[in-house]
Amino acid sequence: MSHSSNTPSPVGSIDQHAPLHLGHSRLRSELVNSVYSQSSYSNSPDSTAASSVEDIRIHRSLPTGVYVPTVCFFEETTEDLDVDAIARHAVRLAEAGVAGITTQGSNGEAVHLTHQERKIVTSVTRRALNEAGFASMPIIVGCGAQSTRETIELCKDAAISGGDFALVLPPSYYKPSLKPNSVIEFFEDVATASPIPVLIYNYPGAVSGTDLDSDAIIKLAGHPNIVGCKLTCGNTGKLNRIAAATQAATPSDHGSGFMCMGGSADFTLQMLVGGGSGVICGLANIVPKACVEIFNVYQSGNLAKTQKLQGIVARGDWAAIAGGIVGTKSALQTYFGYGGLARKPLPRPTIEDTKRYAEGFEEVVALEKSL
């Protein structure tokens, strides 16, 4: 199975005279591109927004490794975007050795952002990386929405903002009304119309329990513009099956180039042993060096040390899972002097909360600061 990060051909009208042997797939692709070629949203940016990014056509690949779904930062009193903190944080992560950045992930409070704010966050991140000497670092952009149309629109916004890849959740709001093949068709339609390659985001906890099985993801992996998956379901067997079927990229073998990725830091060693490509993990917002160290030590062949590191990181990841975005931001503020608050209605941490979060991350932060 061969994968390429080349984007689809420009959209256009359906060829009414296409020969029948082209089949359903070709005709469906042409129909999708025809239907979704026109935007219903305004893309007129402000002075900080996406089209100011000058290098959106640069080709960036997805190397194996640790990716960070970045936290989004806000001004404390107004809840406006804190673009300076967003930029500084992206550079800190890049300097720690991560493989790439993910904006508008679950940790990025995408559901609290407008379309325009999403574009600003990605644009600011791209510019900060470029100016700090990390112009080759890829940005994956969360583009999940409930309709096929809006999801494609978010993919287009991601592209003009400097994003290189789209990370897409399955729709879930009308789950009881969806037919068995609806989610498959959703991903096929989005991937066909998206100007950037797509990764499937399997996170049952965020989408009313929708859990794509390995058969569905393997089938979708055959689409030329679907280039990977993020498995926040934590199912090791599923990862094994997908990685084997797609000949996924690993640290030692590029394989087909398909990226079969874990969705949390406590899954890193298991992912590596199982033939996976990397992790997209929220804990790396706090301790990027520690998360990268697991990767590096495993590649050096020291399994015993890798297991020890994974234990420390897994305990820290449990604190991140238990505390959520509020706990992650609180720990950033305690240990690194920035982080701030989440947008309402997420709660403000109490003094007791802050102390508990700090204690939960103490061990893994000590590891981070030793590296």
Side-chain angles (χ1 to χ4, degrees), residues 108 112 118 121 159 165 207 233 236 264 293 325 347 350:
H112 289 167
R118 287 178 178 229
V121 170
F165 299 85
V207 288
C233 55
T236 308
S264 59
E293 186 72 357
I325 297 168
T350 65

Side-chain angles (χ1 to χ4, degrees), residues 253-304:
D253 184 358
H254 183 263
S256 69
F258 189 85
M259 295 291 287
C260 188
M261 307 180 78
S264 59
D266 63 3
F267 197 54
T268 307
L269 178 56
Q270 301 93 309
M271 174 277 302
L272 288 165
V273 173
S277 311
V279 288
I280 304 176
C281 55
L283 181 65
N285 280 288
I286 303 172
V287 290
K289 293 179 183 178
C291 294
V292 171
E293 186 72 357
I294 295 177
F295 237 86
N296 293 341
V297 174
Y298 178 83
Q299 288 181 263
S300 76
N302 191 336
L303 182 58

Side-chain angles (χ1 to χ4, degrees), residues 43-56 116 119-128 130-131 157 159-162:
N43 278 325
S44 56
D46 64 17
S47 60
T48 322
S51 63
S52 63
V53 177
E54 298 173 354
D55 66 340
I56 59 175
Q116 186 65 15
K119 290 189 287 184
I120 291 171
V121 170
T122 299
S123 175
V124 167
T125 301
R126 179 73 273 158
R127 183 175 295 279
N130 290 357
E131 291 178 352
D157 285 351
I160 67 169
S161 304

Side-chain angles (χ1 to χ4, degrees), residues 200 202 212-221 229 231 238 242:
I200 299 163
N202 192 55
L212 297 175
D213 61 28
S214 53
D215 290 342
I217 295 174
I218 291 167
K219 178 180 179 180
L220 287 168
C229 61
L231 303 177
K238 183 185 297 184
I242 296 168

Side-chain angles (χ1 to χ4, degrees), residues 325-335 339-340 349 353-355 357-358:
I325 297 168
V326 174
T328 295
K329 286 190 167 185
S330 177
L332 276 171
Q333 191 70 52
T334 297
Y335 287 110
D353 291 336
T354 300
K355 180 180 179 181
Y357 296 142

Side-chain angles (χ1 to χ4, degrees), residues 232-244:
T232 306
C233 55
N235 187 323
T236 308
K238 183 185 297 184
L239 182 142
N240 296 155
R241 290 188 293 273
I242 296 168

Side-chain angles (χ1 to χ4, degrees), residues 37-89:
S37 62
Q38 298 299 319
S39 170
S40 62
Y41 294 90
S42 171
N43 278 325
S44 56
D46 64 17
S47 60
T48 322
S51 63
S52 63
V53 177
E54 298 173 354
D55 66 340
I56 59 175
R57 298 302 178 188
I58 292 178
H59 168 76
R60 299 180 181 88
S61 61
L62 287 175
T64 58
V66 174
Y67 290 73
V68 192
T70 53
V71 170
C72 188
F73 301 96
F74 306 104
E75 302 287 352
E76 185 172 348
T77 55
T78 64
E79 292 194 350
D80 291 341
L81 293 176
D82 185 344
V83 293
D84 289 338
I86 291 168
R88 290 196 308 271
H89 184 61

